[in-house]
Amino acid sequence: MSGAPGEAERQVARVLARARHIAVLTGAGVSAESGISTFRSAAADMHALWKEFDPRTLATPEAFADDPARVTRWYDARRIGCLNAAPNPGHLALTTLQRALRSRGGDLVVLTQNVDRLHHKAGTQGVVELHGNIVTWRCTRTGQSIEPPPEPMPRFPAPSPFHPEGLLRPNVVWFGEALPTDAVVAAEEAAGACGVFMAVGTSSQVFPAAGFIQTAMARGAVTVEINPESTSISDLVTYSLKGRSGEVLPRLVGTAA
Ligand code: BV8
């Protein structure tokens, strides 16, 4: 839908004010204003992780098997960054909107690709973590998880406290690994039940996460994208709002909640 940014935002605010069930797919862009790097942002001012690092050498089980110290060091540095980060107004606006919807018998479900747990810190309930989280790590031999202390790990790779030959790996979903079944089921249910599906701060390039919007579109849900850049879905959604989520969401929710 074209139209001046102001008019499109006003229309989306009205849609949100009338909605009962909203699903929100979030990506790294929603945490950018909390100081956490995105992966693929093209904008020169955006620090994009994958520009510096090749994901095939870091975000795969093979990378970890090949060089566990290198992968552990990179994820541990990101873990500390996430632990020190605070939710931004975009995260907080989604919490406000969820509370408003729940007060009128509806709901808002956040389906996040992010592993930083900033939606949790913002007070959003029932967050569906499609790609796991970076805060808890598990033993490669027993599968038992722990939450390491909020300081850099002393050694790389990190030995497991559960097994003499085990190592600790982050509880994130790497490329080539299946998403948690319960998260996929919850995401399909949310996409199947929502009247409004929002894609916020995601390049919509990673699957199956980027595919859930198709379920909502097939059912005729209103679809909204919030992103300063155009993506592969910008021409497919009902409303494409160009802007930063930390600025756009509070404007929408301020009038919607
Ligand atoms: C799997 C790990 C199979 C944690 C990540 C079709 C179907 C299924 C799979 C595939 C498929 N096609 C290809 C695949 C394989 C692959 C895939 O999708 N590859 C892509 C690259 C083509 N998918 C997989 O491997 C998945 N697994 O399919 O397994 C299987 C099945 C059964 C049994 C065994 C195996 C696993 C995918 C998960 C991979 N893990 N992360 C970590 O390190 O963080 S993915 C990584 O990308 C992050 O999780 C990240 O969240 C995710 C998506 O990126 P975005 O969040 O969108 O971030 P990005 O930087 O790309 O974009 C940010 C956007 O924000 C930009 O558009 C920018 O403009 C915008 N922005 C910037 N600032 C702001 C902003 N927006 C708003 N406000 C701002 N201020």
Side-chain angles (χ1 to χ4, degrees), residues 27-30 32-33 38-41 46 50 59 74-75 78 113-115 131 172-179 201-208 226-229 231 243-245:
V30 85
E33 290 154 277
T38 63
F39 293 86
R40 299 173 186 84
S41 299
M46 287 303 306
W50 295 143
W74 186 65
Y75 273 94
R78 285 180 57 204
Q113 299 171 89
N114 300 337
V115 297
H131 294 163
V172 301
V173 178
W174 278 328
F175 288 102
E177 292 186 322
L179 276 59
T202 181
S203 61
S204 292
Q205 291 183 33
V206 174
F207 289 82
I226 299 174
N227 193 320
E229 298 170 8
T231 71
R244 296 177 182 275
S245 49

Side-chain angles (χ1 to χ4, degrees), residues 137-140 142 144-146 158-164 166-168:
W137 290 47
R138 68 174 183 269
C139 174
T140 54
T142 69
Q144 289 165 282
S145 285
I146 56 166
S160 163
F162 303 108
H163 190 286
L167 295 175
L168 286 178

Side-chain angles (χ1 to χ4, degrees), residues 138-253:
R138 68 174 183 269
C139 174
T140 54
R141 299 300 292 268
T142 69
Q144 289 165 282
S145 285
I146 56 166
E147 184 167 333
E151 65 238 8
M153 287 179 183
R155 285 177 51 193
F156 302 110
S160 163
F162 303 108
H163 190 286
E165 290 158 33
L167 295 175
L168 286 178
R169 62 153 285 178
N171 269 326
V172 301
V173 178
W174 278 328
F175 288 102
E177 292 186 322
L179 276 59
T181 306
D182 58 341
V184 173
V185 168
E188 280 295 355
E189 278 174 6
C194 69
V196 182
F197 189 104
M198 305 177 81
V200 183
T202 181
S203 61
S204 292
Q205 291 183 33
V206 174
F207 289 82
F212 294 120
I213 192 171
Q214 307 296 339
T215 302
M217 284 178 170
R219 288 182 35 261
V222 173
T223 50
V224 181
E225 179 183 45
I226 299 174
N227 193 320
E229 298 170 8
S230 290
T231 71
S232 56
I233 65 167
S234 297
D235 292 336
L236 304 176
V237 294
T238 317
Y239 298 96
S240 172
L241 304 181
K242 289 290 179 292
R244 296 177 182 275
S245 49
E247 297 159 10
V248 175
L249 281 171
R251 286 201 298 264
L252 293 175
V253 174

Side-chain angles (χ1 to χ4, degrees), residues 7-118:
E7 176 51 30
E9 276 195 25
R10 277 192 292 277
Q11 290 181 28
V12 172
R14 282 195 293 273
V15 165
L16 298 183
R18 289 194 305 269
R20 287 183 64 79
H21 292 281
I22 299 176
V24 187
L25 174 72
T26 64
V30 85
S31 296
E33 290 154 277
S34 296
I36 295 181
S37 300
T38 63
F39 293 86
R40 299 173 186 84
S41 299
D45 66 325
M46 287 303 306
H47 175 72
L49 280 176
W50 295 143
K51 279 182 190 163
E52 280 183 61
F53 304 97
D54 178 349
R56 289 164 304 197
T57 66
L58 286 163
T60 66
E62 294 77 14
F64 183 79
D66 178 50
D67 190 343
R70 170 178 156 79
V71 173
T72 305
R73 186 176 291 110
W74 186 65
Y75 273 94
D76 191 44
R78 285 180 57 204
R79 175 179 72 94
I80 298 303
C82 292
L83 290 175
N84 293 334
N88 65 61
H91 296 105
L92 297 170
L94 290 176
T95 301
T96 301
L97 185 53
Q98 183 183 62
R99 288 180 182 147
L101 278 164
R102 288 185 169 190
S103 72
R104 54 183 193 245
D107 202 0
L108 177 145
V109 181
V110 169
L111 315 172
T112 191
Q113 299 171 89
N114 300 337
V115 297
D116 55 34
R117 295 216 146 157
L118 287 183

